[in-house]
Amino acid sequence: MTEPQLTTLAACTGTAMRLAKDESLKIVNIHGTQVVDCWAFNADDLEEWMSMPHTRNACRKLTPAIGESFVTTLRRSILTLDEDTSPGVHDTLIPCCDAARYKELGCEGHANCADNMAYGLKELGIDPPPPPAPLNIFMNIPVGPTGRLEIVPPVCEPGDYVVLRAEMDCIIALSACPHDIFPVNGAAATPRDVAYAVYPAWVGGAD
Ligand SMILES: [Zn+2]
């Protein structure tokens, strides 16, 4: 199979795309330090979306492992984690950053993942809903022994990637998180470009 062309998602920006059932999305952490917020909606019913609480319930852990699926608000598989070259540290607990969060932090008018999701969906002609809690790919939120959540840099190497396969026709939104206050996006707290590519459905063959 020919490798599809990687598309750059510039630091602090968002995009959205349609992903047909069995197509896959590769997301590459070019610099190893960048978090990517990811949303998935049923293309036929935007009121059904990839849900982090339902996913944690389904896989009985904080984050699905390779071969396991993220599920929707109706408990149906929507994305399966087919590949992950990173250590597998991703976050399902933290909401996306938004205008209210940056206002709290004293940075009004800051670029944010909620706006990036809305921008991406609008580009597809979709009226954006309030952002569900995203899958925060590469985000490192260790849970301490007292239950305290830490915010520490991703543990990826440059070039680490994940591949998510669509289990239904869906709309995907991505945001290269603009956070530059806490070390969400690396110890230098510097948002970076990432890249992504859509792979066609695997048509199979003898194996
Ligand atoms: Zn963010």
Side-chain angles (χ1 to χ4, degrees), residues 17-197:
M17 69 207 71
R18 293 180 182 276
L19 205 60
K21 182 179 185 321
D22 296 327
E23 286 184 329
S24 296
L25 173 64
K26 180 178 190 176
I27 300 167
V28 184
N29 202 342
I30 299 172
H31 300 276
T33 54
Q34 181 61 43
V35 166
V36 181
D37 288 39
C38 174
W39 295 264
F41 301 85
N42 176 352
D44 297 322
D45 176 9
L46 294 179
E47 293 188 6
E48 180 184 10
W49 63 77
M50 178 170 73
S51 163
M52 294 304 106
H54 293 82
T55 296
R56 293 192 298 268
N57 191 179
C59 71
R60 293 295 183 94
K61 48 177 151 346
L62 289 176
T63 313
I66 292 171
E68 294 181 328
S69 295
F70 294 85
V71 304
T72 69
T73 44
L74 298 182
R75 301 180 187 271
R76 303 193 304 147
S77 295
I78 186 165
L79 293 176
T80 293
L81 181 65
D82 270 356
E83 295 183 55
D84 186 357
T85 67
S86 81
V89 176
H90 311 287
D91 171 66
T92 68
L93 297 173
I94 302 293
C96 69
C97 62
D98 54 24
R101 179 61 176 141
Y102 288 111
K103 188 175 179 186
E104 271 184 347
L105 294 169
C107 300
E108 267 187 85
H110 197 288
N112 63 77
C113 287
D115 285 351
N116 285 347
M117 184 208 80
Y119 170 83
L121 293 180
K122 282 180 194 163
E123 287 283 289
L124 292 182
I126 294 168
D127 188 21
L135 165 61
N136 296 310
I137 300 170
F138 309 125
M139 191 178 192
N140 188 5
I141 305 289
V143 183
T146 63
R148 180 176 168 78
L149 303 178
E150 303 294 339
I151 301 175
V152 295
V155 288
C156 303
E157 296 293 329
D160 274 349
Y161 65 86
V162 297
V163 177
L164 297 162
R165 177 171 42 82
E167 298 282 2
M168 64 175 76
D169 291 351
C170 56
I171 309 287
I172 302 285
L174 300 176
S175 170
C177 179
H179 207 299
D180 56 1
I181 301 165
F182 301 135
V184 174
N185 294 306
T190 303
R192 306 278 188 194
D193 295 353
V194 294
Y196 65 94

